[in-house]
Amino acid sequence: MDKPVNNKAWFFVLPVFFLVAISAIIPLMTVVNYSVQDTFGNNQFFWAGTEWFKEILHSERFHSALVRNLIFSFIILLIEIPLGIVVALSMPRKGFWVPVCLILMALPLLIPWNVVGTIWQIFGRADIGLLGNTLVGLGVNYNYATNWFDAWATIILMDVWHWTSLVVLLCYAGLVSIPEAYYQAARIDGASKWKVFRYIQLPKLHRVLLIAVLLRFMDSFMIYTEPFVLTGGGPGNSTTFLSIDLVKTAIGQFDLGPAAAMSIIYFLIILLLSWVFFTVMTHYGADNNKTESGHDS
Amino acid sequence: MNLSWMAWTTPTAIFFITILSLLILMTIWELLSPGGGVRYGVLRFETTRGDRLFLSLLGSAFIHLAWLGFSDLNLWWAMGVSVCYALLVFRFV
């Protein structure tokens, strides 16, 4: 039976609506206004039309930052997802070590992003950092401030250290929720460890993995603080990701018009990805529930 | 209230008033025909009128960006393509 609809509940949403209006909608409207104008400060604006959008869409700098960001997100997913699954599979399910492992896994997630950047900045220094000094001592010509490959390797390593735990915790939650009956059935059939993983654990992890992939993709696509603190976008522009480029344009160069146009394009890309995220999550979940209830009946 | 810091212009005001009007029209549509017009379209999942409006607006934004990026023709053509796209979305999605 359908529940009666009570539209008075909408009044409870009003405070949130006003909060979002002040913190998100009004600033976004201002950015749209800025994107079609030019300013030299002093609250004076000159009409520019779609000039900034054309400039950004044809800008080599924007294309490079976008490609860099996509490559970065791809590498992050390629490393963090399989690694997260392996670590979650090797974690204990019962006993004293469970809380110890969970706390150890949660620790990197609790550290503020700028502190993570600072830790790795010092850790990677060739003169005083443990990582940098050890590598140089081993004869590796490592310097993240002058070599683009070293800078990328350090940022990727830092992100893997910081965020793999999230994938681990999500997968672990998925793994412990698998009923023991599945494993008993597999033991009776004499299934190998690989087959248990391939046909029981992986399908049951499908949903949490979807959340992990999409969360890590969106987070890595918006990364700012850690690479900004570690390399400042350098050497050259080799680690200048979209958000770093945006801040450089807006605050460094005070080009508010192009920065606003770039923000809108960046926002639209993220909005599209968020929509895909939301749609896949909700509709995959709905289909899954239907299938499961179908099996039950 | 002084809103000069928001740097309003007539075209951007028209843009936002259009979006607001669309939202008001959608509300009136919902009041006249409640339920959200839920159906399975070409995307093979359930969509409501709100979903279709969102897809139309998001798609139109990308059509305009693509127009600016790849063509020198007047932007009104992109507007025409966007309206056709929105009609197709409301008909088939």
Side-chain angles (χ1 to χ4, degrees):
Chain A
M1 199 182 82
D2 288 338
K3 285 180 184 171
V5 178
N6 183 358
N7 281 322
K8 279 179 191 162
W10 284 105
F11 286 109
F12 291 107
V13 183
L14 272 181
V16 177
F17 176 78
F18 283 118
L19 212 67
V20 172
I22 292 166
S23 68
I25 299 173
I26 291 176
L28 191 64
M29 285 168 126
T30 312
V31 168
V32 172
N33 290 340
Y34 276 31
S35 72
V36 291
Q37 297 179 87
D38 197 6
T39 183
F40 304 103
N42 207 20
N43 223 11
Q44 277 188 312
F45 294 89
F46 306 93
W47 178 252
T50 54
E51 196 185 319
W52 303 134
F53 286 94
K54 274 187 190 161
E55 192 183 293
I56 293 294
L57 288 168
H58 291 111
S59 148
E60 194 59 44
R61 184 175 144 179
F62 176 72
H63 294 168
S64 316
L66 183 64
V67 170
R68 239 174 259 136
N69 226 151
L70 288 169
I71 294 172
F72 176 73
S73 296
F74 180 72
I75 295 173
I76 288 301
L77 289 181
L78 209 65
I79 298 173
E80 289 181 13
I81 300 296
L83 186 63
I85 297 173
V86 170
V87 175
L89 283 170
S90 52
M91 272 169 65
R93 308 281 163 78
K94 283 175 197 163
F96 167 78
W97 290 105
V98 173
V100 175
C101 286
L102 288 176
I103 290 169
L104 279 176
M105 281 296 134
L107 272 178
L109 299 173
L110 299 174
I111 302 173
W113 296 344
N114 51 352
V115 177
V116 171
T118 313
I119 290 172
W120 280 80
Q121 194 195 37
I122 296 166
F123 188 46
R125 275 179 63 167
D127 50 354
I128 55 165
L130 185 62
L131 174 75
N133 201 261
T134 310
L135 284 174
V136 171
L138 290 170
V140 181
N141 188 18
Y142 169 86
N143 189 338
Y144 68 78
T146 54
N147 183 306
W148 72 267
F149 182 82
D150 295 347
W152 267 76
T154 315
I155 290 177
I156 289 167
L157 203 63
M158 173 174 67
D159 200 90
V160 168
W161 174 80
H162 194 186
W163 288 111
T164 305
S165 304
L166 181 76
V167 184
V168 173
L169 293 176
L170 282 169
C171 288
Y172 187 75
L175 282 173
V176 294
S177 69
I178 300 173
E180 186 54 33
Y182 284 86
Y183 294 111
Q184 283 171 357
R187 274 198 294 274
I188 290 165
D189 289 344
S192 63
K193 268 193 170 180
W194 165 250
K195 286 205 165 155
V196 170
F197 172 69
R198 174 68 189 82
Y199 296 106
I200 297 174
Q201 291 169 324
L202 200 58
K204 285 283 171 193
L205 284 180
H206 197 156
R207 209 164 164 186
V208 285
L209 279 178
L210 205 65
I211 302 172
V213 167
L214 291 164
L215 273 181
R216 284 311 303 131
F217 180 76
M218 292 199 306
D219 270 351
S220 59
F221 201 67
M222 294 191 285
I223 192 163
Y224 174 75
T225 315
E226 295 122 305
F228 181 75
V229 174
L230 185 73
T231 62
N237 278 330
S238 61
T239 55
T240 303
F241 299 116
L242 277 174
S243 52
I244 295 179
D245 198 23
L246 180 61
V247 173
K248 273 185 183 173
T249 312
I251 297 168
Q253 300 162 214
F254 201 67
D255 283 336
L256 294 184
M262 192 177 159
S263 303
I264 291 169
I265 297 169
Y266 194 8
F267 168 71
L268 286 171
I269 295 171
I270 290 176
L271 192 61
L272 180 70
L273 294 172
S274 305
W275 178 76
V276 172
F277 167 78
F278 179 77
T279 309
V280 170
M281 285 306 302
T282 48
H283 297 289
Y284 173 76
D287 290 348
N288 210 27
N289 287 343
K290 271 181 204 164
T291 323
E292 278 177 9
S293 59
H295 282 307
D296 291 343
S297 62
Chain B
M1 194 162 59
N2 184 6
L3 287 178
S4 65
W5 62 273
M6 285 184 77
W8 280 103
T9 65
T10 314
T12 49
I14 293 171
F15 171 74
F16 284 115
I17 289 168
T18 310
I19 291 182
L20 185 68
S21 310
L22 282 172
L23 292 175
I24 292 169
L25 276 175
M26 293 295 283
T27 311
I28 295 170
W29 192 358
E30 180 63 24
L31 289 174
L32 293 175
S33 155
V38 179
R39 68 159 186 244
Y40 272 79
V42 286
L43 294 179
R44 305 312 311 152
F45 58 75
E46 230 172 49
T47 54
T48 62
R49 274 181 223 124
D51 293 329
R52 278 165 236 145
L53 178 73
F54 175 76
L55 276 180
S56 304
L57 290 174
L58 189 63
S60 302
F62 279 103
I63 289 170
H64 280 78
L65 285 180
W67 205 271
L68 283 173
F70 299 115
S71 151
D72 288 327
L73 290 170
N74 195 301
L75 211 54
W76 284 107
W77 286 102
M79 183 70 161
V81 173
S82 298
V83 171
C84 293
Y85 163 76
L87 289 173
L88 287 173
V89 168
F90 269 85
R91 177 71 188 82
F92 294 110
V93 172

